[in-house]
Amino acid sequence: MPSRYPHLFSPLDLGHCILPNRVLMGSMHTGLEDKKRDFPKLAAYFAERARGGVGLIVTGGIAPNVSGWVKPFAGKLSWSWEARKHRLVTDAVHAEGGRICMQVLHAGRYGYHPLAVAPSRVKSPITPFMPRELSDRGVERQIEDFAHCARLARDAGYDGVEIMGSEGYLINEFLAARTNHRQAPWGGSFENRLRFATEIVRRTRAAVGHDFILIFRLSMLELVEGGASIDEIIATAKAIEAAGASIINTGIGWHEARIPTIVTSVPRAAFSFVTARLKGEVSIPLVATNRINMPEVAEGILARGEADMVSMARPLLADPDWVRKARDGREAEINTCIACNQACLDHVFLNKPATCLVNPRACRETELNYTPAARRKRIAVVGAGPAGLACATVAAERGHDVTLFEAGDDIGGQFNLARRIPGKEEFEETLRYFRQRIGSTGVKLRLSEHVDAGSLERFDDIVLATGVVPRTPPIAGIDHPKVISYPDLLTGRRVAGSRVAVIGAGGIGFDVSEFLVQSRPSSTLEPARWLAEWGIDPTLHARGGIEGIVPEPETPQREVWLLQRTEGALGKRLGKTTGWVHRATLKRARVRMLGGVDYRRIDDIGLHIVIAGEERVLEVDHVIVCAGQESRRDLLVPLQSAGRAVHVIGGAEVAAELDAKRAIAQGSELAARL
Ligand code: FAD
Ligand code: NAP
Ligand code: SF4
């Protein structure tokens, strides 16, 4: 049968080898690269993606020397004995018929350690260490170290290397006048600033020979003041090609940029226009990146001729079989990356191994396996929120006879509310995936059934995944008609007026505020409009893509106050890599964020509060309560008293600090043991 994605599945001839398709698994640090003892896990992780049919894999960044570490004792390859452990990875990938390149990443001034070096003594705004300025001899040594590292990667069995030249790391720092204040031969004119990158490519090519893939990740849209102009980017791409690169991959944004590039509210394929601008300027393949997560998105980019390959990193963490499913026309089975960053990037920033919110097996392929059950049991799972959905489908996949009871008329629980937030529409994909899994694993789904303890007698094991109920804070007037619960607001059962106060500034308070100020779902937002709202120049004439561009002002739908009792800034507990986007979005919509609030009462006038010892009245039409949740587990005691085998997971177990990451992981882990 002809493929629905003919461009995605057309082979790519690189001269000395032919890639089977146009999917490049982009580099992503998992935390498993740093220690030798984790290499068996890293090998299993990549092998599973190779088995899933990825055309070409790129590893997380490996430093060419100690000064290039991202953090102390991060992955490094500068000695031949360090190459040995990489054999585990390359052999595992080759055994599955895959190909893998190692990314050579020198962190430059982004290095989170005192040995960091840079072209000039210019500290980055996101690291505490002042880098040491390289001497001219030091620059030469760095270039040699790149080439040596690539040679060792070849010895370790890799099919190629990717040289990391974007995101504000060392090579990018040499290219940019904002971080390179040197004179000739490595600074001053653009030609001099370019020399470091081209020398690295030239000497790396000489060190590895011609039958080895050499990808260069080029910074194509810097999103910082003083970033590169489009003429400089084109000139860099041409010089990189001439120096011997086989593929140019796209880098979007320096890490210190304050414009979102990968979070879930960024429209799909929002940055493919950047790669498209380079088409025709070079003759080697170009790779498009960022927010490409489903086959139709990837196919669209290739069919429009915007790129020759697509890079996906997180989508392959979420589903190792993404490529095979797309190829076989089983896209409905894809476990889609929802771009939440919660278990991947946020973990890496907290020095925890990466995994995935929608796939807790990611990076744990040697530990968490869904093997056939020794004995088929009758299992009741009560509650079809994320915890219950994960538990029921994994248990059924293992061969158990599973019935999933849900009181509501649809699956999803609180997640079904999350998908209604503008910018969180991707969450619907997870529910689509679970609907499909319920069918394929044979879970018996019983919607609109509110079960009690007595109705569960015929089951061997009972799993309580009954989740949470919103907390009702003891504020005078909390039963006033002005008060709306967040489920009532988000499901449209009630509509808020034009002036609204939100009690509680956790993840849900922030989301509800976005819902209140935005008039339309982000999925209906054209990428062009999103670029305008964030002040990105689609013509690429502005330096860095932003210089001199004024973001289009927002017209918030409502006047909103977001409140919390805790003193200080709001949103401190939001995700490391996403919280700043939520804060920036609300700021642009002129939401007033107040900390240190004491709630006094709600009446016909509005919400009465005390703040810094002063009484104030917020004359609002409505008050939305987002004051956290409490566990719902009224079935537990009766079931335990009846001596039943009962397990409690997700919000039903602990409501505090609950998120879908914990709910799905707990559900999957329990089901793997049942
Ligand atoms: P729930 O989702 O509460 O599901 C429990 C289910 O059990 C419900 O469907 C309920 O109807 C059913 N049930 C209860 N009692 C019975 C019974 N007796 N019989 C039958 N069925 C019963 N999390 C994140 O990780 N990232 C986010 O970005 C995020 N955003 C959010 C945004 C919003 C607006 C909201 C509301 C939540 C968000 N969450 C987010 C939180 C996430 O949705 C919850 O942590 C998660 O849904 C909890 O899963 P759970 O399965 O434990 O419980
Ligand atoms: P939460 O993060 O615990 O926040 C609850 C908020 O209510 C806090 O601001 C708290 O602040 C306030 N509060 C608590 N008790 C109160 C009381 N008695 N009276 C008045 N205010 C009270 O919970 P949530 O916002 O409901 O979110 C639930 C879970 O969903 C979170 O754990 C979160 O991880 C997850 N979630 C995640 C995201 C995401 O983007 N990753 C988005 C949404 C939800 P004060 O005590 O200072 O007032
Ligand atoms: Fe994607 Fe979220 Fe999984 Fe990361 S944790 S891979 S962003 S779904």
Side-chain angles (χ1 to χ4, degrees):
M1 213 174 65
S3 169
R4 255 180 250 174
Y5 311 108
H7 296 86
L8 193 56
F9 290 101
S10 72
L12 181 64
D13 191 349
L14 292 179
H16 73 279
C17 72
I18 297 177
L19 302 179
N21 56 57
R22 304 303 177 104
V23 178
L24 178 130
M25 177 172 172
S27 173
M28 180 157 162
H29 197 74
T30 63
L32 299 178
E33 303 80 1
D34 301 338
K35 294 191 192 78
K36 186 178 172 197
R37 64 159 194 258
D38 289 332
F39 268 62
K41 292 185 195 172
L42 193 63
Y45 160 72
F46 282 130
E48 204 161 302
R49 274 81 194 154
R51 200 177 317 136
V54 176
L56 182 60
I57 294 172
V58 182
T59 67
I62 303 287
N65 55 35
V66 166
S67 70
W69 276 339
V70 172
K71 60 177 186 186
F73 307 106
K76 169 178 84 65
L77 181 55
S78 54
W79 302 103
S80 49
W81 56 266
E82 287 172 321
R84 251 170 264 143
K85 61 180 186 280
H86 288 264
R87 270 277 167 203
L88 277 180
V89 169
T90 54
D91 286 349
V93 168
H94 293 152
E96 298 293 350
R99 284 197 179 80
I100 184 161
C101 295
M102 190 190 87
Q103 190 188 66
V104 188
L105 164 68
H106 191 303
R109 68 174 191 152
Y110 281 161
Y112 206 88
H113 54 83
L115 305 176
V117 296
S120 306
R121 262 176 71 81
V122 183
K123 199 174 89 57
S124 101
I126 55 171
T127 41
F129 300 95
M130 174 61 86
R132 183 174 59 79
E133 179 173 320
L134 286 163
S135 65
D136 284 355
R137 245 186 90 227
V139 176
E140 281 288 343
R141 267 202 305 269
Q142 295 292 342
I143 298 170
E144 286 308 319
D145 286 351
F146 267 91
H148 181 59
C149 179
R151 177 71 226 181
L152 290 176
R154 185 181 174 122
D155 295 345
Y158 285 103
D159 301 283
V161 286
E162 176 174 80
I163 293 174
M164 181 45 155
S166 64
E167 261 79 355
Y169 291 118
L170 185 71
I171 297 175
N172 211 173
E173 288 158 22
F174 268 91
L175 281 163
R178 67 199 301 272
T179 43
N180 182 346
H181 301 168
R182 304 173 75 96
Q183 298 306 313
W186 304 108
S189 67
F190 169 68
E191 288 68 29
N192 287 346
R193 285 185 271 123
L194 175 61
R195 186 165 295 120
F196 186 65
T198 50
E199 275 303 291
I200 286 173
V201 174
R202 194 180 61 76
R203 290 192 220 174
T204 298
R205 177 54 82 201
V208 296
H210 283 279
D211 54 347
F212 196 66
I213 301 168
L214 201 166
I215 309 168
F216 187 87
R217 184 104 179 253
L218 174 63
S219 190
M220 294 196 202
L221 180 72
E222 313 220 280
L223 302 178
V224 285
E225 292 290 320
S229 69
I230 187 64
D231 293 342
E232 288 171 348
I233 292 164
I234 292 170
T236 307
K238 288 183 172 178
I240 292 298
E241 178 181 18
S246 358
I247 295 176
I248 292 182
N249 193 0
T250 305
I252 303 285
W254 286 38
H255 284 317
E256 66 207 63
R258 276 298 165 254
I259 291 179
T261 54
I262 58 168
V263 301
T264 190
S265 54
V266 175
R268 290 175 172 184
F271 294 107
S272 60
F273 76 98
V274 179
T275 316
R277 179 65 187 80
L278 260 76
K279 285 288 282 182
E281 302 287 357
V282 289
S283 54
I284 52 176
L286 290 166
V287 187
T289 60
N290 289 48
R291 290 289 285 121
I292 302 166
N293 64 348
M294 286 301 274
E296 68 273 17
V297 183
E299 177 68 15
I301 291 170
L302 299 171
R304 289 191 297 275
E306 293 177 337
D308 306 287
M309 287 188 90
V310 289
S311 168
M312 288 181 286
R314 297 172 302 165
L316 290 156
L317 206 61
D319 194 334
D321 286 329
W322 191 104
V323 175
R324 199 162 39 182
K325 288 174 181 174
R327 191 190 56 207
D328 299 346
R330 293 185 291 123
E331 49 284 269
E333 292 176 31
I334 289 177
N335 194 3
T336 308
C337 166
I338 58 173
C340 65
N341 287 358
Q342 284 176 242
C344 51
L345 290 187
D346 284 350
H347 273 211
V348 170
F349 278 100
L350 295 170
N351 277 329
K352 288 176 13 184
T355 178
C356 172
L357 180 142
V358 299
N359 173 22
R361 284 194 66 249
C363 300
R364 297 167 69 202
E365 287 78 8
T366 55
E367 300 153 39
L368 181 59
N369 278 303
Y370 308 146
T371 49
R375 180 172 77 85
R376 181 173 161 89
K377 294 197 221 174
R378 280 165 309 176
I379 297 174
V381 178
V382 186
L389 287 166
C391 185
T393 50
V394 170
E397 178 187 332
R398 294 188 55 229
H400 292 302
D401 175 6
V402 181
T403 308
L404 175 60
F405 297 97
E406 169 53 49
D409 59 7
D410 197 3
I411 63 165
Q414 298 266 310
F415 216 68
N416 219 344
L417 301 175
R419 74 175 174 84
R420 295 165 204 256
I421 304 296
K424 281 196 171 174
E425 295 83 359
E426 290 283 4
F427 286 46
E428 172 59 31
E429 296 285 4
T430 304
L431 297 180
R432 181 262 309 146
Y433 165 75
F434 274 122
R435 273 186 204 106
Q436 212 286 333
R437 282 267 289 167
I438 286 170
S440 66
T441 57
V443 171
K444 294 167 202 151
L445 174 64
R446 306 263 291 266
L447 291 174
S448 305
E449 270 199 50
H450 191 288
V451 294
D452 53 33
S455 53
L456 298 170
E457 268 161 20
R458 63 193 172 86
F459 294 97
D460 301 314
D461 279 77
I462 299 160
V463 179
L464 290 187
T466 44
V468 289
V469 282
R471 176 182 291 129
T472 305
I475 301 170
I478 195 73
D479 50 1
H480 190 279
K482 275 184 188 286
V483 178
I484 304 181
S485 71
Y486 69 79
D488 278 353
L489 177 80
L490 297 177
T491 52
R493 284 192 292 264
R494 293 196 58 195
V495 178
S498 57
R499 290 163 62 86
V500 186
V502 178
I503 291 184
I508 293 179
F510 266 81
D511 275 357
V512 161
S513 301
E514 283 186 38
F515 179 88
L516 288 166
V517 291
Q518 297 202 12
S519 52
R520 37 86 191 118
S522 295
S523 54
T524 60
L525 192 61
E526 283 293 308
R529 173 112 191 90
W530 181 87
L531 295 173
E533 285 186 1
W534 283 94
I536 303 169
D537 173 16
T539 67
L540 296 174
H541 284 115
R543 270 198 173 271
I546 56 166
E547 221 158 271
I549 306 287
V550 180
E552 262 183 29
E554 286 244 348
T555 319
Q557 281 294 99
R558 295 181 175 86
E559 206 177 341
V560 173
W561 286 262
L562 176 60
L563 314 169
Q564 70 176 22
R565 298 171 306 178
T566 308
E567 295 279 354
L570 274 65
K572 280 190 182 158
R573 285 173 41 229
L574 297 178
K576 176 93 182 149
T577 60
T578 51
W580 67 270
V581 185
H582 292 297
R583 283 190 293 271
T585 305
L586 293 193
K587 226 167 144 185
R588 284 190 318 142
R590 299 190 284 285
V591 170
R592 274 163 276 190
M593 301 185 226
L594 305 179
V597 174
D598 186 4
Y599 308 110
R600 287 296 159 94
R601 67 181 185 284
I602 301 157
D603 60 20
D604 290 347
I605 306 172
L607 175 63
H608 298 252
I609 58 173
V610 174
I611 186 163
E614 223 176 90
E615 282 204 26
R616 279 182 66 180
V617 189
L618 305 180
E619 291 182 17
V620 292
D621 304 311
H622 289 103
V623 176
I624 318 292
V625 181
C626 304
Q629 291 110 9
E630 281 155 13
S631 295
R632 175 160 43 191
R633 47 190 201 173
D634 41 306
L635 294 178
L636 182 61
V637 173
L639 287 168
Q640 281 176 334
S641 316
R644 309 303 310 280
V646 53
H647 314 265
V648 191
I649 55 171
E653 191 212 21
V654 183
E657 307 286 323
L658 170 69
D659 58 13
K661 178 179 74 174
R662 166 152 69 83
I664 292 177
Q666 258 188 322
S668 308
E669 285 160 12
L670 170 65
R673 294 195 302 272
L674 282 174

